[in-house]
């Protein structure tokens, strides 16, 4: 039987007030992610405030450890709670990984809604040749870091003006959904190029006790070595993956049409997209979804998704000649998908929801190429 929500909230207020008085912050409340819900601990009329953006960088190829990232999240959570007397009931956790790279820049903050805004910068080099170990990839991430932090700060400040549901990126309309968090990830590898993605995580607001809906909107981009490092490496292809088959919740359902771009498309295009999903098995259905639009150059998007196997894959192929601008400059696209799952509650503990990956191949035209790959696993964690 589901516990009375009022009783749960009352117990949460007492527990978190005690926690704040002692100055302790539980480890589960420090993971990267977004607030699923927040509880007001003290009654006042002051507007809610976001935390500062807390940061750390490394140098000389050293990696920022998970312990260091944990400390940054600790500062942000304490900052938010001290400013607002408000706790986060549950959070989303993102675990970033990439092949042959280290985390060299990290930033984290909570907006006025209690939702996370984070940036992870990874850098890698060709370690097979000493002459290629220039440190340029790390320098590129560090040179861009101030701008990334400024963007996070601006988003957090904007949330203080009106604490409400906020759409992300190019999303212009949400139906019974709210943004849970915004996760930026960049991976630079000298001399090949840069791959990156911004993952906006949405969850339905229908409060159904039977089912949840989750959505990820993933603007992904590819910057070839010709542009990033002045090398000979150009864009060849890119991919984005939404692996809902990694979800640990029951009844994960990816029906046909619950993702966009849907079906293989070719050519230049400017158009609007939308995805939706129905939630609620026994209490009646309610539609949740989001809409967005974008333009893309003369490319082919191959939809490699499988509703049967519960995953999405999109392959961005270039239709251009070798010297076309799309080969030598930044390109990208913005896929999204939604699923319905069983309803999550804190008694279930930590659960994986989805694994998101961005992948690219850069080619120098002389039978030498490099694939770059970076991915995140997103989890629900009770605070």
């Amino acid at each position: 039987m589901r516990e009375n929500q009022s009783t749960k909230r009352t117990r949460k207020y007492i527990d978190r007030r005690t926690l704040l008085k002692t100055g302790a912050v539980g480890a589960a409340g420090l993971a990267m992610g977004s607030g699923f819900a927040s509880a007001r601990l003290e009654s006042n009329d002051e507007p809610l405030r976001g935390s500062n953006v807390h940061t750390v960088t490394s140098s000389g190829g050293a990696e920022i450890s998970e312990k260091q990232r944990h400390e940054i999240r600790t500062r942000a959570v304490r900052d938010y709670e001290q400013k607002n007397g408000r706790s986060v009931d549950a959070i989303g956790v993102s675990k970033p990984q990439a092949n042959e790279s280290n985390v060299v820049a990290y930033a984290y903050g909570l907006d006025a809604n209690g939702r996370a805004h984070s940036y992870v910068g990874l850098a890698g080099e060709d370690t097979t040749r000493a002459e290629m170990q220039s440190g340029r990839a790390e320098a590129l991430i560090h040179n861009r870091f101030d701008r990334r932090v400024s963007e996070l700060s601006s988003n957090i400040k904007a949330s203080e003006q009106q604490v409400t549901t906020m759409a992300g990126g190019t999303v212009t309309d949400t139906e019974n959904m709210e943004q849970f968090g915004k996760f930026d990830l960049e991976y630079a590898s000298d001399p090949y190029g840069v791959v990156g993605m911004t993952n906006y995580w949405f969850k339905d607001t229908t409060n159904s006790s039977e089912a949840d809906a989750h959505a990820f909107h993933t603007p992904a981009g590819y910057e070839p070595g010709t542009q990033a490092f002045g090398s000979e490496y150009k864009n060849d292809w890119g991919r984005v993956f939404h692996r809902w088959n990694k979800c640990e919740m029951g009844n994960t359902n990816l029906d046909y049409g619950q993702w966009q771009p849907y079906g293989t498309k070719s050519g230049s295009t400017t158009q609007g997209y939308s995805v939706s999903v129905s939630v609620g098995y026994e209490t009646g259905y309610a539609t949740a979804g989001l809409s967005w639009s974008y333009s893309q150059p003369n490319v082919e998007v191959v939809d490699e998704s499988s509703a049967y196997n519960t995953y999405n894959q999109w392959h961005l192929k270039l239709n251009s000649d070798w010297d076309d601008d799309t080969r030598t400059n930044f390109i990208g696209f913005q896929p999204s998908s939604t699923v319905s799952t069983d309803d999550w509650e804190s008694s279930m503990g930590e659960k994986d929801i989805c694994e998101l990956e961005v992948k690219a191949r850069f080619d120098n035209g002389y039978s030498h190429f490099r694939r770059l790959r970076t991915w995140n696993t997103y989890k629900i964690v009770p605070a």
Side-chain angles (χ1 to χ4, degrees), residues 11-28:
R11 188 176 70 248
K12 173 67 76 172
Y13 297 168
I14 294 172
D15 292 346
R16 294 296 284 175
R17 186 182 292 112
T18 302
L19 186 149
L20 284 171
K21 284 182 178 179
T22 63
V25 178

Side-chain angles (χ1 to χ4, degrees), residues 134-151:
S134 65
R136 291 193 303 174
E138 180 182 85
L140 181 147
I141 294 295
H142 288 170
N143 288 340
R144 297 179 178 182
F145 191 50
D146 286 345
R147 185 168 78 250
R148 303 305 187 213
V149 172
S150 178
E151 290 169 354

Side-chain angles (χ1 to χ4, degrees), residues 78-116:
R78 286 178 175 169
D79 186 0
Y80 178 83
E81 292 184 332
Q82 289 170 0
K83 286 179 177 178
N84 297 290
R86 186 182 183 94
S87 68
V88 178
D89 287 342
I91 53 177
V93 176
S94 169
K95 182 181 179 181
Q97 300 177 73
N99 58 331
E100 302 175 356
S101 70
N102 288 331
V103 176
V104 298
Y106 182 70
Y108 184 89
L110 296 176
D111 68 18
N113 296 282
R115 300 169 186 139

